Amino acid sequence: MMVNTLHQQPVRGSKKRVFWIVFVIYQFLWHLIVPFVIFRLWLRGRLEPGYRQHILERFGFYSPFSDFKSDIWVHAVSMGETRAAVPLIDQLLASGKKVLLSHMTASGRSTSEQIFANAIAHGRLRQVYIPYDFCWPVMRFLRHFQPPKGLLIETELWPGLLVYAQKCGVPMYLINGRLSEKSFKKFIKWGSVSQSMCQMLSGVAAQTESDAKNFTALGIENILITGNLKFDVNLSNELILKGETWKKMRWPDRQVIMAASTREGEEKIIIQAIKALNFSPKPLLLLVPRHLKRLPEIEDYIQQQNLRIMKRSEFTEQNTEQNTEQNTEQESLITNIDILIGDTFGEMAAYYASCDLVVMGGTLQGTGGQNLIEPCALGKPVILGPSTFNFSLVSQNAIECGAAVALKNSSDQSNQNQLTMTLVKELEDLLSQPKKMQEMGERGFAFTHHHQGATRKTLKFLEAN
């Protein structure tokens, strides 16, 4: 669906000069903060070693790799954007194209390394870190790889990248584009500066009509509403089978509540809710933090609550007779613990497959929510907190079709005790009604199936440009 609403006129004259003045200052500031950026990178590497690897790539220095010539460049900043891009990249690879895939975070790079291991091994996909957003690193990146076309995933707009891509004649497109009302208001505050930057895009494949209208208001003309790529994600059958095996072999007689992609402060709410549940035996809490670097503080809090914990990384797969005695001991541990921490990368589908219902992280403490499409696709009922602005339409549609429920809360969303008790009530209501949970799961499966097709529309959009 094309967007034909009125849009801002292209920024010209004095307003354009304002952009370039701000841009020069922005570039100057980047040069000043480089030492602090390197220091912060090194500090982050203490908990995530990936940040101490390939550091030169962040300054535009890449190994030759002379036989790699990409047909298209895709930038997926982190794990979420990487997973969103998977259906599109799979189709690009299947059509014979070579893909340059860039990231900003170590988790994004690690995720794509697992997902695209075969393509990387056969030289059809190359991973790199995107350079920091100032002149010479970005120019080195563009001159080294000379990508014919660049795709940015979701909201990853950087002025330096857009300015120098335009200078090098590389058309840039925003794919799976979203711009929430909260983000849109921030863009509008910058006036012509934001408009000038956005108008450097050659086009936008927007998720929803609301996103498209916001991009249109910033002066972008070439917009197509394609839907959300995350609905097209193909979950690994191997991981699904792994999760189902865990449920059957390791906690067969326990209900499992998964707290998925939790953010800071949410673990406390969810753990207190689990403790307050009036069930015997207590459900097992499968806790999967959004950022694994937070594990030490999460473990400290759990220990303060005198709860028994275990990590996913501490048990092995049941695949050999030699491990039978060890596996029996581990199964006993799992049936007698309160919380299992999902501390591995790339196993979200397995975690979802092994649980009975999902409390979606990012929705309890004002951070806008995480992706609820995957649990819905696996037929898991979902509980959402009050904060869903990053997935507002998806969340609204899932609630309306009965695949998810939203916690009812007062206007004071900062009241953690009230939110905890509301969560307790919702959990008890669902856990005591297996038939209701099954119906929600079936509706979630139908919901995700109904909204598929964004990959096909996005590819047609790119072919037309």
Side-chain angles (χ1 to χ4, degrees):
M1 176 180 176
M2 294 298 296
V3 177
N4 296 314
T5 53
L6 294 174
H7 56 79
Q8 295 283 341
Q9 294 296 317
V11 179
R12 298 188 178 92
S14 60
K15 291 184 178 180
K16 195 75 172 179
R17 285 194 290 272
V18 171
F19 169 79
W20 287 111
I21 292 170
V22 172
F23 183 73
V24 169
I25 296 171
Y26 171 75
Q27 293 291 288
F28 175 72
L29 291 175
W30 255 111
H31 285 82
L32 289 181
I33 66 172
V34 164
F36 302 100
V37 169
I38 297 173
F39 180 66
R40 181 174 179 272
L41 195 66
W42 195 252
L43 287 179
R44 294 190 71 177
R46 291 184 303 174
L47 296 176
E48 295 181 75
Y51 282 104
R52 293 185 178 180
Q53 299 170 357
H54 312 289
I55 290 178
L56 288 178
E57 290 185 357
R58 297 181 183 274
F59 293 92
F61 295 94
Y62 302 91
S63 57
F65 219 86
S66 57
D67 61 339
F68 186 88
K69 179 72 173 177
S70 69
D71 298 297
I72 197 162
W73 158 40
V74 179
H75 176 55
V77 59
S78 189
M79 186 180 353
E81 290 81 5
T82 300
R83 296 181 70 84
V86 168
L88 181 64
I89 295 175
D90 280 342
Q91 289 297 313
L92 291 171
L93 292 171
S95 67
K97 288 183 169 56
K98 285 189 173 184
V99 178
L100 174 66
L101 179 57
S102 62
H103 306 282
M104 178 60 77
T105 69
S107 61
R109 187 163 183 154
S110 175
T111 299
S112 67
E113 187 174 4
Q114 294 176 15
I115 294 173
F116 300 113
N118 185 62
I120 294 170
H122 287 84
R124 295 185 293 117
L125 182 144
R126 184 176 179 186
Q127 296 175 292
V128 295
Y129 279 125
I130 197 74
Y132 289 125
D133 199 47
F134 59 106
C135 51
W136 57 268
V138 175
M139 288 299 291
R140 284 187 62 87
F141 168 83
L142 293 169
R143 288 169 178 166
H144 182 95
F145 291 109
Q146 299 180 359
K149 183 182 293 185
L151 311 182
L152 307 174
I153 306 297
E154 295 198 353
T155 56
E156 196 63 14
L157 299 177
W158 289 88
L161 197 61
L162 293 174
V163 166
Y164 295 114
Q166 189 177 69
K167 181 177 181 180
C168 292
V170 180
M172 300 296 293
Y173 296 86
L174 189 66
I175 302 301
N176 212 42
R178 62 183 177 91
L179 191 62
S180 67
E181 289 302 318
K182 184 176 180 179
S183 297
F184 177 65
K185 289 176 182 177
K186 291 180 180 178
F187 271 73
I188 288 297
K189 286 181 180 180
W190 283 91
S192 61
V193 175
S194 293
Q195 291 177 33
S196 296
M197 181 183 71
C198 290
Q199 289 172 19
M200 292 178 187
L201 289 167
S202 296
V204 173
Q207 290 187 19
T208 69
E209 184 176 354
S210 175
D211 296 315
K213 286 181 177 179
N214 288 340
F215 284 119
T216 301
L218 292 170
I220 303 171
E221 298 184 25
N222 183 21
I223 301 176
L224 179 70
I225 300 172
T226 55
N228 193 334
L229 289 173
K230 291 180 180 178
F231 281 106
D232 291 347
V233 64
N234 292 317
L235 298 173
S236 165
N237 289 328
E238 181 180 351
L239 287 175
I240 294 171
L241 179 60
K242 179 187 287 188
E244 291 173 344
T245 301
W246 292 346
K247 185 168 182 59
K248 179 180 178 181
M249 302 300 295
R250 296 187 181 278
W251 43 84
D253 300 319
R254 296 186 71 180
Q255 291 177 305
V256 180
I257 298 169
M258 178 177 171
S261 299
T262 55
R263 307 292 286 267
E264 185 174 1
E266 294 184 324
E267 293 87 8
K268 180 177 180 180
I269 294 172
I270 295 168
I271 289 170
Q272 290 301 321
I274 296 295
K275 289 179 66 176
L277 284 176
N278 186 25
F279 273 81
S280 182
K282 290 276 190 184
L284 172 66
L285 175 60
L286 172 55
L287 179 60
V288 186
R290 172 68 172 170
H291 299 115
L292 294 183
K293 64 183 179 182
R294 296 184 49 246
L295 280 179
E297 66 182 75
I298 294 171
E299 289 182 74
D300 286 344
Y301 178 74
I302 294 173
Q303 289 169 357
Q304 291 170 15
Q305 300 301 307
N306 296 316
L307 296 172
R308 297 160 297 182
I309 66 172
M310 187 176 184
K311 296 179 183 177
R312 153 68 183 107
S313 59
E314 292 174 352
F315 64 81
T316 56
E317 299 306 322
Q318 298 177 350
N319 52 12
T320 64
E321 293 182 2
Q322 291 88 337
N323 287 336
T324 300
E325 183 177 344
Q326 180 184 13
N327 286 330
T328 301
E329 180 183 353
Q330 288 173 342
E331 288 172 27
S332 176
L333 283 171
I334 291 174
T335 57
N336 288 284
I337 64 171
D338 302 299
I339 299 175
L340 175 66
I341 298 179
D343 64 338
T344 55
F345 279 114
E347 291 193 316
M348 283 300 287
Y351 292 138
Y352 284 131
S354 71
C355 74
D356 294 291
L357 72 91
V358 175
V359 179
M360 186 51 58
T363 67
L364 300 174
Q365 288 288 278
T367 52
Q370 300 297 150
N371 177 21
L372 67 154
I373 295 171
E374 290 186 2
C376 286
L378 287 172
K380 305 299 177 180
V382 177
I383 296 177
L384 301 172
S387 179
T388 59
F389 59 81
N390 283 332
F391 295 87
S392 57
L393 185 59
V394 173
S395 299
Q396 180 184 339
N397 290 342
I399 293 167
E400 289 175 352
C401 78
V405 294
L407 297 180
K408 297 178 177 62
N409 200 26
S410 69
S411 57
D412 181 13
Q413 295 181 0
S414 63
N415 189 332
Q416 288 193 1
N417 291 333
Q418 180 183 338
L419 190 58
T420 300
M421 295 315 297
T422 305
L423 178 57
V424 171
K425 183 178 179 181
E426 197 62 63
L427 286 171
E428 290 182 341
D429 178 64
L430 288 177
L431 292 173
S432 63
Q433 300 184 71
K435 185 176 180 180
K436 180 178 180 180
M437 290 175 60
Q438 181 181 352
E439 290 174 352
M440 287 181 66
E442 291 171 353
R443 289 170 181 169
F445 182 82
F447 163 66
T448 54
H449 182 75
H450 176 73
H451 285 84
Q452 290 176 348
T455 302
R456 173 178 49 82
K457 294 177 184 177
T458 300
L459 287 171
K460 284 187 176 181
F461 175 70
L462 294 174
E463 289 170 2
N465 289 275

